[in-house]
């Protein structure tokens, strides 16, 4: 078996190979959902809104001229400054089942990180908390959501063989209609809105573009305030906000974007639920072909599964029962039969308050993801 050659991605052909390698690796996997091909290629260009706040490197591993692995490293300068850390994130790690390939990739990444003054590697973590993150540890026989990455079971073995250990886990839940109707939830929700003088925005009165344009700033303010202390999060710059809106505009159904405002139309809470488009993208490899676009639009208009993207409530309203409004809306969709089930995506294992809410549903914890960590600081020799 030939030696492994590590290539730092520079040329357009190498960039294309970096993006297409996992599409070949998972070609016959029924659970893998590709990211949008165009979005992945844009990561290398000025269209990447995080280019000003991050430093990135991309490596390919090749053996006998054939790609056998890839990895990206990110120095998230905002996060490091906020937390006084020298962390290098790894993401977009994919490889064949070969420890030697993984070792070569992580060795190259760690050497690059040391040269940049970093002392710790962690991940999988992207540019921000809204990118795909975490390594799948449980749930290999379940279809991935569009928002998160699928990986083969052997990945954990490869990463741990390179000296990485668990830092934190996320749990994911499937939520079905409650087995018994809960009328109390509706009463609590209505009373909470009345006491706090709040209202649920009627999305039917605005077009999707008008709706998003009117409330996007308030939504991002909620995210920054409510998620700032959570693992891996960073504040959103204006360019990051624009990029996220552009990326998700097509897959948002305003019916499932619940916004709650006060009397002055200030956003105090929201829930972004995204129609599941995973199956619509599988055959096209994430490319928006005419056929794929048609399937995506159909899935967005009449979804059977909906993914929970983000939910946030401003701190001053978190004890006012506003979460009951979101739960009430979700149970309505499930009990009507309009939606078969919700997927929660990532819940930090330490966020017991959020996970306690799933008791209102027929819930199943069906996936687990993990972020790993490794100290790469050089060991100083003792001088006696």
């Amino acid at each position: 078996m030939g030696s492994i050659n590590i290539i730092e991605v520079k040329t357009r052909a190498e960039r294309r190979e970096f993006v297409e390698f996992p599409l070949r690796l998972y070609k016959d996997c029924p659970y893998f959902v590709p990211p949008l091909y165009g979005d992945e290629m844009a990561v290398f260009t000025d269209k990447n809104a995080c280019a000003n706040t991050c430093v990135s490197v991309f490596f390919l591993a090749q053996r006998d001229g054939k790609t056998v692995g890839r990895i990206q490293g990110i120095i998230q300068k905002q996060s490091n400054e906020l937390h006084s850390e020298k962390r290098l994130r790894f993401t977009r790690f994919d490889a064949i089942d070969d420890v030697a390939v993984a070792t070569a990739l992580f060795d190259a990444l760690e050497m690059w990180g040391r040269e940049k003054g970093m002392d710790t590697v962690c991940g999988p973590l992207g540019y921000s908390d809204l990118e795909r993150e975490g390594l799948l540890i449980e749930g290999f026989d379940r279809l991935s959501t569009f928002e998160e990455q699928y990986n083969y079971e052997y990945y954990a073995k490869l990463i741990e063989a390179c000296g990485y250990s668990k830092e934190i886990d996320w749990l994911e839940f499937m939520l079905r209609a409650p087995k018994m109707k809960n009328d109390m939830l509706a009463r609590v929700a209505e009373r909470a809105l009345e006491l706090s003088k709040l209202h649920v925005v009627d999305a039917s009165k605005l077009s999707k573009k008008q709706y998003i344009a009117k409330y996007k700033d308030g939504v991002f303010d909620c995210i920054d305030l409510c998620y700032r202390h959570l693992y891996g999060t960073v504040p959103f710059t204006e360019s990051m906000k624009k990029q996220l809106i552009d990326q998700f505009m097509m897959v948002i159904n305003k019916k499932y974007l619940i916004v709650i405002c006060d009397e002055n139309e200030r956003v105090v809470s929201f829930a972004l639920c995204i129609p599941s488009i995973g199956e619509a993208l599988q055959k096209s490899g994430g490319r928006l072909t005419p056929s794929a676009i048609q399937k995506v639009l159909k899935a967005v208009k009449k979804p059977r599964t909906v993914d929970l993207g983000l939910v946030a409530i401003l701190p001053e309203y978190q004890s006012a029962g506003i979460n009951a409004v979101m739960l009430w809306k979700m149970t309505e969709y499930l009990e009507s039969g309009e939606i078969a089930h919700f997927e929660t995506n990532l819940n930090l294992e330490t966020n017991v308050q959020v996970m306690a809410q799933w008791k209102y549903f027929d819930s199943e914890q069906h996936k687990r993801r993990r972020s790993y960590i490794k100290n790469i600081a050089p060991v100083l020799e003792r001088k006696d």
Side-chain angles (χ1 to χ4, degrees):
M1 189 174 289
S3 61
I4 299 166
N5 184 31
I6 299 296
I7 300 169
E8 183 176 347
V9 174
K10 295 288 187 181
T11 69
R12 180 169 179 80
E14 289 165 351
R15 293 171 179 175
R16 188 165 56 249
E17 180 64 11
F18 187 92
V19 171
E20 293 181 0
F21 170 68
L23 301 181
R24 297 196 300 272
L25 189 66
Y26 290 94
K27 183 179 179 181
D28 299 319
C29 178
Y31 311 114
F32 173 75
V33 172
L36 290 179
Y37 188 93
D39 288 349
E40 290 297 284
M41 289 300 295
V43 166
F44 300 100
T45 71
D46 292 339
K47 292 180 181 179
N48 182 0
C50 297
N52 294 328
T53 58
C54 299
V55 180
S56 293
V57 69
F58 304 83
F59 291 112
L60 287 170
Q62 295 189 339
R63 179 187 282 143
D64 299 327
K66 181 181 178 181
T67 299
V68 289
R70 69 168 195 169
I71 198 167
Q72 178 188 1
I74 299 172
I75 298 175
Q76 192 7 299
K77 294 185 286 185
Q78 280 180 299
S79 180
N80 282 347
E81 290 168 6
L82 281 172
H83 302 290
S84 300
E85 294 174 333
K86 296 179 180 178
R87 287 195 170 207
L88 167 63
R89 301 178 174 195
F90 76 86
T91 185
R92 293 176 171 86
F93 167 70
D94 290 288
I96 63 171
D97 189 2
D98 188 325
V99 171
V101 172
T103 300
L105 284 166
F106 277 100
D107 282 351
L109 184 70
E110 292 163 18
M111 183 181 298
W112 182 84
R114 290 190 193 96
E115 290 173 353
K116 298 293 184 181
M118 301 297 105
D119 59 21
T120 304
V121 182
C122 61
L125 287 172
Y127 294 102
S128 76
D129 189 48
L130 295 190
E131 276 215 313
R132 295 179 169 199
E133 58 189 2
L135 190 84
L136 192 65
I137 299 296
E138 299 171 4
F140 300 103
D141 59 346
R142 303 296 185 103
L143 180 69
S144 181
T145 64
F146 168 69
E147 298 81 22
E148 301 303 334
Q149 182 71 16
Y150 182 85
N151 59 262
Y152 289 127
E153 191 169 357
Y154 65 78
Y155 275 40
K157 175 193 70 177
L158 298 183
I159 292 173
E160 290 164 14
C162 294
Y164 289 77
S165 57
K166 172 187 170 179
E167 181 168 30
I168 199 164
D169 280 3
W170 293 272
L171 305 179
E172 298 180 55
F173 296 80
M174 181 179 287
L175 309 178
R176 300 182 182 88
K179 293 178 180 178
M180 294 184 64
K181 190 172 179 63
N182 189 344
D183 293 326
M184 184 187 71
L185 195 60
R187 291 195 297 270
V188 171
E190 290 171 348
R191 185 62 174 159
L193 290 172
E194 181 183 349
L195 288 175
S196 297
K197 297 181 179 179
L198 304 175
H199 62 276
V200 178
V201 175
D202 185 354
S204 66
K205 295 181 178 180
L206 298 169
S207 69
K208 182 165 72 172
K209 285 187 177 180
Q210 290 171 332
Y211 187 42
I212 293 173
K214 184 172 182 178
Y215 297 106
K216 61 181 175 63
D217 290 334
V219 165
F220 279 113
D221 287 344
C222 274
I223 296 173
D224 280 341
L225 277 170
C226 300
Y227 285 71
R228 57 185 171 178
H229 300 304
L230 295 183
Y231 181 81
T233 60
V234 292
F236 291 102
T237 64
E238 290 304 314
S239 57
M240 287 169 67
K241 293 177 185 178
K242 184 180 184 305
Q243 179 173 298
L244 284 166
I245 290 170
D246 290 344
Q247 287 177 338
F248 282 92
M249 178 65 78
M250 184 174 69
V251 300
I252 289 177
N253 182 328
K254 64 179 181 177
K255 183 176 183 178
Y256 305 112
L257 172 53
I258 304 165
V259 177
I260 298 175
C261 291
D262 64 14
E263 294 174 298
N264 299 313
E265 285 300 289
R266 181 179 69 126
V267 176
V268 303
S269 180
F270 79 95
L272 172 59
C273 305
I274 302 169
S276 179
I277 62 169
E279 292 181 352
L281 291 171
Q282 281 183 308
K283 288 187 177 180
S284 73
R287 292 175 172 86
L288 289 177
T289 62
S291 175
I293 291 174
Q294 187 178 21
K295 291 177 182 177
V296 167
L297 293 176
K298 182 179 179 181
V300 170
K301 186 176 181 180
K302 290 186 177 181
R304 291 298 294 151
T305 302
V306 172
D307 306 333
L308 293 187
L310 291 167
V311 180
I313 304 171
L314 290 182
E316 61 263 40
Y317 290 96
Q318 287 178 2
S319 299
I322 304 304
N323 62 316
V325 180
M326 305 301 185
L327 298 171
W328 171 41
K329 288 287 185 183
M330 289 169 62
T331 56
E332 278 192 333
Y333 291 137
L334 292 168
E335 289 173 344
S336 70
E338 178 180 337
I339 301 298
H341 65 264
F342 284 92
E343 290 248 13
T344 68
N345 279 319
L346 306 189
N347 296 170
L348 278 170
E349 62 182 346
T350 54
N351 200 342
V352 293
Q353 188 175 5
V354 166
M355 290 187 288
Q357 299 178 111
W358 309 144
K359 67 183 179 183
Y360 293 104
F361 305 88
D362 177 12
S363 66
E364 175 193 2
Q365 190 259 302
H366 65 314
K367 297 176 188 172
R368 178 185 293 266
R369 295 181 185 275
R370 179 163 298 166
S371 183
Y372 286 89
I373 190 168
K374 180 181 179 180
N375 187 325
I376 61 168
V379 178
L380 300 177
E381 294 184 4
R382 286 183 58 185
K383 293 184 179 180
D384 297 323

